[in-house]
Amino acid sequence: MFYQPEDGRGWVVLAAYHEETLLRVLDEMMDDPESAGFSDIGIRNILYTEVLNTRPRRVLEIGTHIGTGAVVMGTALQRNGYGKLISLEPQLKYKAIAEGYIARAGLSEMVEILPFFSYQDECQQRLRAEGPFDLIFIDGAHEYEAALFDIRLAYALLRENGLIILHDSGRDSPQMDQSGQGGVRRAVHDFAAETPGAVAIFREHPLWLNPCGAALICKQLLEPAIETPAGA
Ligand SMILES: C[S@@+](CC[C@H](N)C(=O)[O-])C[C@H]1O[C@@H](n2cnc3c(N)ncnc32)[C@H](O)[C@@H]1O
């Protein structure tokens, strides 16, 4: 049955960011004829606050599109006065549009877009040279095999206790997978099952207020390890 939030709660998720330039550029992006596929406010809030909370040296995004996530993360990096976002966008048309918005938001020093697919050797060499990454946003291809490939790649590039954030892992995820294999949702589940130390969390309704959903994967390393005291 379709979830309906109670009266007073509603569907509207408020943005955690208030910078005038960012809000203006995001408004312009929403009017862009190529805007379909943009990030939602819930995921932007996670990206923005995670960058502020952890002051990352390197952030990676797989799938820039026209750059809504990139301008949000770039603005948080600019507030930090530290760190850089590397974003992958193989479609040169989208890369050019995103670079225009990033320049208008004054973020060109914080954000670099590389014209690569994540599976290209040249791309992976460059990422290994830039890494390790503290935070990785995976929002590229939504087919199961491609998503699982990107998660494995990202996990190898991720610092201990770093976070991977994924879009489109919600209940609509299988419909976004043209190969019919369950999409990002199943890829997150299977990766966590095959990888000791990987902790996956799905943000789902009724708390997550859209059916696209979001997921987090942490490369959890507790030091010192938690030991159960004798006799407990
Ligand atoms: C849903 S859009 C990304 C939206 C963007 N993250 C945002 O916040 O607005 C997906 C993008 O991923 C790109 N893409 C698809 N497969 C990719 C891959 N293997 N590596 C890098 N980018 C990829 C597509 O060209 C497309 O522009």
Side-chain angles (χ1 to χ4, degrees):
M1 199 176 73
F2 193 68
Y3 171 71
Q4 178 65 44
E6 52 270 41
D7 289 348
R9 182 168 182 234
W11 290 102
V12 179
V13 174
L14 301 177
Y17 40 85
H18 299 286
E19 290 82 357
E20 258 176 53
T21 308
L22 174 59
L23 294 174
R24 179 175 43 76
V25 170
L26 284 170
D27 276 349
E28 289 173 21
M29 288 172 148
M30 292 306 96
D31 292 336
D32 193 297
E34 299 288 351
S35 71
F38 57 82
S39 56
D40 59 73
I41 291 179
I43 201 117
R44 289 181 204 160
N45 283 343
I46 297 180
L47 296 171
Y48 182 81
T49 53
E50 188 61 20
V51 170
L52 290 183
N53 284 340
T54 59
R55 300 184 60 78
R57 186 187 73 88
R58 285 290 176 274
V59 181
L60 171 64
E61 177 182 47
I62 300 180
T64 323
H65 191 236
I66 69 166
T68 63
V71 293
V72 169
M73 289 186 277
T75 299
L77 289 167
Q78 189 178 55
R79 277 190 72 185
N80 285 347
Y82 176 76
K84 184 173 160 187
L85 167 67
I86 307 285
S87 188
L88 307 181
E89 181 47 65
Q91 295 205 51
L92 299 184
K93 176 177 80 168
Y94 292 148
K95 178 176 179 285
I97 295 172
E99 282 170 340
Y101 287 122
I102 287 160
R104 290 214 277 294
L107 300 171
S108 300
E109 277 182 29
M110 264 69 60
V111 182
E112 182 178 5
I113 304 179
L114 303 180
F116 296 132
F117 283 100
S118 51
Y119 52 75
Q120 290 177 280
D121 286 345
E122 193 183 352
C123 176
Q124 292 174 26
Q125 276 172 27
R126 176 71 198 275
L127 295 181
R128 276 194 289 274
E130 288 280 353
F133 291 85
D134 308 295
L135 172 66
I136 301 180
F137 178 36
I138 300 180
D139 196 17
H142 288 48
E143 280 71 34
Y144 170 79
E145 291 289 353
L148 188 57
F149 177 91
D150 283 346
I151 296 169
R152 287 176 177 150
L153 172 69
Y155 202 78
L157 293 165
L158 190 68
R159 191 186 290 277
E160 284 83 6
N161 292 314
L163 207 57
I164 298 173
I165 297 171
L166 299 104
H167 199 208
D168 298 324
S169 57
R171 64 173 188 199
D172 285 0
S173 180
Q175 282 120 272
M176 298 181 205
D177 180 349
Q178 292 178 357
S179 71
Q181 293 190 75
V184 175
R185 186 179 185 77
R186 186 175 150 235
V188 171
H189 171 272
D190 288 1
F191 178 78
E194 77 183 18
T195 311
V199 179
I201 296 175
F202 288 86
R203 303 314 322 266
E204 301 264 313
H205 85 288
L207 284 180
W208 194 259
L209 281 166
N210 69 54
C212 296
L216 315 175
I217 299 174
C218 183
K219 191 180 209 170
Q220 194 82 82
L221 180 75
L222 296 179
E223 257 182 18
I226 297 171
E227 289 174 18
T228 308

